[in-house]
Amino acid sequence: MLNSKTPLLACMLTALVGMGATLSLQNNESVRKLSAVKLPNVPAQTLTAEVVEYPPGGKSSVHHHAGSVFAYILTGRIRSQNSGTGPARIYKAGETFFEPPGSNHLVSENASASEPASLLAIFIAEDGAVLTEPGNAK
């Protein structure tokens, strides 16, 4: 049953939903490609370097990568969990992790709600491959 407070509650709910959508967009990572070089000694394979930056509280959704990925934490602390390497762990600047081919990146997020974090991702994948795709690997 509607009463005089219903329009006010509807406006507040709409505003909160809108803020949530804005916050989730602001919490996503940004990816910047640094280099992509075909490997002359490994036919049909390309080495690609990317910097992934997370704002405070930022995270990626579940995804998978083409080929193999080596990650080096540049700044901050990043929580990561990969289906091929075990439970979630927090990595700090100077530490590394590896993602084997065909695995799923289940958790990838900034471990801090107040400081940014970044990593260098090095991919070795087939020439022309899409390096990151949403969801689980098939």
Side-chain angles (χ1 to χ4, degrees), residues 38-81:
K38 290 186 179 192
L39 296 172
N41 61 331
V42 187
Q45 297 289 300
T46 297
L47 183 142
T48 303
E50 296 181 340
V51 172
V52 181
E53 298 174 307
Y54 291 97
K59 61 178 110 183
S60 302
S61 49
V62 174
H63 60 277
H64 61 278
H65 299 291
S68 298
V69 182
F70 172 83
Y72 176 82
I73 310 307
L74 296 168
T75 62
R77 297 178 312 126
I78 294 177
R79 181 179 295 109
S80 182
Q81 180 180 9

Side-chain angles (χ1 to χ4, degrees), residues 6-24:
T6 301
L8 176 61
L9 291 173
C11 287
M12 288 175 61
L13 182 58
T14 301
L16 288 173
V17 169
M19 279 183 9
T22 300
L23 290 174
S24 68

Side-chain angles (χ1 to χ4, degrees), residues 102-116:
S103 63
N104 297 305
H105 204 160
L106 304 171
V107 176
S108 184
E109 61 189 11
N110 187 339
S112 172
S114 60
E115 299 292 327

